[in-house]
Amino acid sequence: MLKVVAVNSSNRKKNTYNLIAQAKEIFKNNNIEVEIINLFDYDIKNCIGCEHCITKGGCILKDNAFEIMEKMKSSDGIILTTPVYLENVSGKLKTFIDRTCSWFHRPELYGKPVLLMSTTMGSGLKSTLNYLERVVIQWGGFNAGKISRNIRTMNNVVTEDECASFIKHLTMGKDKYEPSLQSLINFQVQKVLAYKLIDLDSEYWKMKNWNNSIYYFDCKINIFNRLIARNFGSFLNNKVNKPHTKNQKSE
Ligand SMILES: Cc1cc2nc3c(=O)[nH]c(=O)nc-3n(C[C@H](O)[C@H](O)[C@H](O)COP(=O)(O)O)c2cc1C
């Protein structure tokens, strides 16, 4: 049975949770088990900006963030959800996302489909979902559907159709996936920065054998997008210099 984790970032089990609960039933009928993680049940401390996770590896804070990240890593797919708060994600979700900073450098969720969900009273759905999509791409995953509701004006029934793309991406072979140009460009940016800036990142990217890759895994890539991404990667690689070490004289 496929396993999915749904990250719920509202303290209330109301509008957003209602979408998750309905989708969970639809997924159950398709042999997909959903574990709901209510972020408010977990101790997630604020990132203190020490950069330990980036430069040395691992986080010095002791709380539940790592446990949630491990659950996400071992899942087949992720449902990432938030109510709109002041035109963006809830503070609880942002606090958690900050704690995944190492994944922005060493994208551990590569190949995972992510379904995004959000609810609002009126505004901010588009910007909130766009922000989450950018986060997911940085994590190495990809957006496989969006379910959103303005709870004042839209009916709140989740349909099979809205879940279909996520189910398709969970069940089809990875080789059939076609990454967007944005994902391919992002891969090139992350690769160049990894190789040029931080030793730990370049070791990780080498270990993954992504040096000459166009994406994290073999899949369908549009020939024009491939060309654009490769050229962009070469251009960026020539532009970004390795920082001077302490022993080097600056000119
Ligand atoms: C702190 C806070 C900020 C909010 N900001 C917005 C907003 O910017 N735009 C909006 O239309 N609704 C806003 N809302 C309303 C929520 O997005 C909406 O009620 C949502 O469906 C709540 O989801 P929940 O029931 O899962 O908590 C806000 C609500 C709260 C509590």
Side-chain angles (χ1 to χ4, degrees), residues 5-9 16 20 39 72 78-82 93 96-97 114-118 129 132-133 135-136 139 147:
V5 293
V7 178
N8 171 37
S9 66
T16 317
I20 305 172
L39 290 186
M72 290 167 79
I78 292 158
I79 304 174
L80 194 59
T81 82
T82 186
L93 182 57
F96 174 67
I97 290 172
V114 181
L115 174 62
L116 302 175
M117 285 187 190
S118 186
L129 291 169
L132 284 181
E133 187 167 358
V135 169
V136 165
W139 284 345
I147 301 180

Side-chain angles (χ1 to χ4, degrees), residues 18-19 22-23 26 147 149 155-160 162-163:
N18 176 30
L19 297 186
Q22 290 183 66
I26 293 174
I147 301 180
R149 292 291 185 277
N155 101 40
N156 66 4
V157 179
V158 175
T159 65
E160 291 258 358
E162 288 179 296
C163 299

Side-chain angles (χ1 to χ4, degrees), residues 3-30:
K3 284 189 194 294
V4 164
V5 293
V7 178
N8 171 37
S9 66
S10 174
N11 187 40
R12 314 193 305 173
K13 290 198 174 134
K14 211 171 165 202
N15 301 333
T16 317
Y17 193 88
N18 176 30
L19 297 186
I20 305 172
Q22 290 183 66
K24 183 175 171 163
E25 280 308 301
I26 293 174
F27 293 130
K28 193 172 155 197
N29 296 336
N30 285 276

Side-chain angles (χ1 to χ4, degrees), residues 1 6 41 55 60 137 142 146 161 169 211 217 230 237 243:
M1 199 176 203
D41 293 343
T55 54
I60 61 168
I137 290 175
F142 60 90
K146 290 177 185 167
D161 270 5
H169 282 100
N211 191 14
F217 51 90
R230 276 246 184 262
N237 193 39

Side-chain angles (χ1 to χ4, degrees), residues 183-248:
S183 294
L184 296 175
I185 295 280
N186 206 77
F187 180 86
Q188 295 298 328
V189 173
Q190 276 179 300
K191 177 162 52 171
V192 170
L193 298 182
Y195 278 100
K196 296 276 173 104
L197 299 185
I198 296 172
D199 290 346
L200 202 58
D201 293 352
S202 80
E203 279 164 31
Y204 176 87
W205 281 69
K206 269 182 211 148
M207 188 252 299
K208 293 285 178 193
N209 254 333
W210 289 334
N211 191 14
N212 293 313
S213 304
I214 191 81
Y215 196 57
Y216 303 110
F217 51 90
D218 288 337
C219 52
K220 269 169 65 177
I221 295 181
N222 172 292
I223 188 163
F224 295 109
N225 288 348
R226 179 186 290 273
L227 211 65
I228 295 168
R230 276 246 184 262
N231 285 335
F232 177 80
S234 311
F235 169 80
L236 198 66
N237 193 39
N238 291 331
K239 283 276 167 209
V240 179
N241 296 318
K242 280 196 179 225
H244 291 292
T245 58
K246 277 183 192 149
N247 299 333
Q248 283 174 318

